[in-house]
Amino acid sequence: MKINGKTVAEEYDLEQWNVEMSYGEVTNESSWEPGCPVPILLESEFGMKKIKLSMLAKGSGRGLIWEKCEKIIAELAKPAVLELEGFNHKYKVVLTNAQQVESSIKRFHKAVLELIGYEFGEHRTVTIKPGQNLWLENNGTVYAPLKITVNQNRQYEPKNTIYLYYIDNEITGTSNSVPVGSFLFEGKTERLMFDASNGKTEEKKVNEEKTTAGGLQKIEIFDIPRIKPGGMYFACEQSGGSADTTVTIEYEERYI
């Protein structure tokens, strides 16, 4: 078992004892309106998982045992990445409750930690250039939000716009496509970023080392950038110039 990449047995001298895992919380707004001959059935949405984690602590005295448990509780009080024995994927979690069971006053202690969060898999990074179509694979069971970073050589281009699309599986090009968003490059802008998982935007300008939280006025999102289970084709086009442009797409597969 690991927390934020650190092995719990080595870092905290604790052992994973038991895990109770639930599926993500399900919400559905389907309804049967009066006078309607059939119900309106909508797709269910999935929220956070609930995880009950039991940890076993051993020590020569109660003070030492409690100190070990307090350290791991403090670590999980902040959003953390959890890797559990017996499970293939990782979990982004935060602590909601902590309880203790003292089997032996002097030598044994069981900490029961209640967590909420989500399950995710492999981190993927792909690149695409204007005029290209790219298949984005998603082996997860729910939509995977995308982090999109557009880099452009601003040495010669005064103004340029990058357009991103979803396209049908059998279509090449952007006909019958669904627009995702546009990224406007003008002035000294050389990099724009949008992260669909948290709505964060960033902008970097030529000859400036610092990346700012700006760029929102230059990024227009038409549909939440995300990949459905199984995967989707993604396309990129540019208008207004011939600058050297690279679009980097990052995402992690997510699970119910």
Side-chain angles (χ1 to χ4, degrees):
M1 175 184 166
K2 295 182 179 180
I3 298 177
N4 293 329
K6 295 180 287 189
T7 302
V8 169
E10 298 175 358
E11 188 74 17
Y12 305 100
D13 194 23
L14 298 174
E15 298 179 23
Q16 177 182 318
W17 185 256
N18 188 41
V19 177
E20 296 179 33
M21 183 80 65
S22 72
Y23 293 114
E25 182 179 351
V26 181
T27 58
N28 190 291
E29 297 185 0
S30 298
S31 62
W32 199 329
E33 300 298 328
C36 186
V38 293
I40 301 172
L41 299 179
L42 303 176
E43 183 177 355
S44 296
E45 296 183 355
F46 296 91
M48 292 187 288
K49 290 178 176 289
K50 293 182 180 180
I51 303 173
K52 182 179 286 188
L53 174 63
S54 299
M55 304 295 300
L56 180 64
K58 300 179 182 179
S60 57
R62 299 180 76 185
L64 179 60
I65 291 174
W66 276 83
E67 183 178 334
K68 293 176 182 180
C69 294
E70 286 172 352
K71 288 181 179 179
I72 198 171
I73 289 172
E75 187 78 12
L76 291 171
K78 304 178 291 291
V81 175
L82 184 65
E83 299 175 61
L84 296 169
E85 297 174 14
F87 295 84
N88 295 327
H89 303 134
K90 298 180 181 180
Y91 302 85
K92 187 67 175 289
V93 299
V94 67
L95 183 70
T96 59
N97 192 26
Q99 303 175 19
Q100 73 286 341
V101 179
E102 291 188 317
S103 300
S104 171
I105 292 179
K106 293 184 178 181
R107 298 186 59 190
F108 300 99
H109 180 99
K110 184 171 72 172
V112 180
L113 310 178
E114 297 180 18
L115 310 156
I116 57 172
Y118 63 88
E119 180 181 357
F120 66 96
E122 179 182 357
H123 182 90
R124 298 178 182 269
T125 302
V126 296
T127 58
I128 184 174
K129 287 182 171 291
Q132 294 182 338
N133 304 325
L134 183 68
W135 172 256
L136 299 183
E137 186 177 19
N138 179 13
N139 292 320
T141 54
V142 295
Y143 281 88
L146 305 180
K147 178 181 178 180
I148 300 173
T149 304
V150 184
N151 289 279
Q152 186 165 280
N153 183 349
R154 300 298 298 149
Q155 187 173 1
Y156 304 110
E157 294 291 344
K159 188 173 182 178
N160 195 14
T161 303
I162 306 301
Y163 297 96
L164 303 176
Y165 303 87
Y166 301 125
I167 57 177
D168 295 337
N169 290 1
E170 303 300 326
I171 295 177
T172 57
T174 58
S175 60
N176 296 328
S177 60
V178 178
V180 176
S182 64
F183 295 73
L184 172 62
F185 287 81
E186 61 182 354
K188 294 184 177 181
T189 301
E190 67 174 1
R191 185 171 74 226
L192 291 169
M193 185 280 293
F194 177 78
D195 191 342
S197 66
N198 54 27
K200 183 179 179 181
T201 64
E202 289 183 352
E203 178 182 14
K204 184 180 183 302
K205 297 182 178 180
V206 176
N207 299 325
E208 293 185 8
E209 296 183 2
K210 185 177 180 180
T211 299
T212 68
L216 183 60
Q217 70 278 9
K218 298 180 180 179
I219 301 174
E220 188 172 4
I221 300 300
F222 310 119
D223 190 11
I224 298 175
R226 57 182 186 170
I227 299 301
K228 67 182 180 181
M232 299 174 68
Y233 277 101
F234 207 77
C236 176
E237 297 291 338
Q238 71 178 359
S239 173
S242 57
D244 182 16
T245 302
T246 301
V247 179
T248 301
I249 301 172
E250 299 175 67
Y251 62 101
E252 294 168 338
E253 296 168 344
R254 296 193 179 184
Y255 300 84
I256 294 173

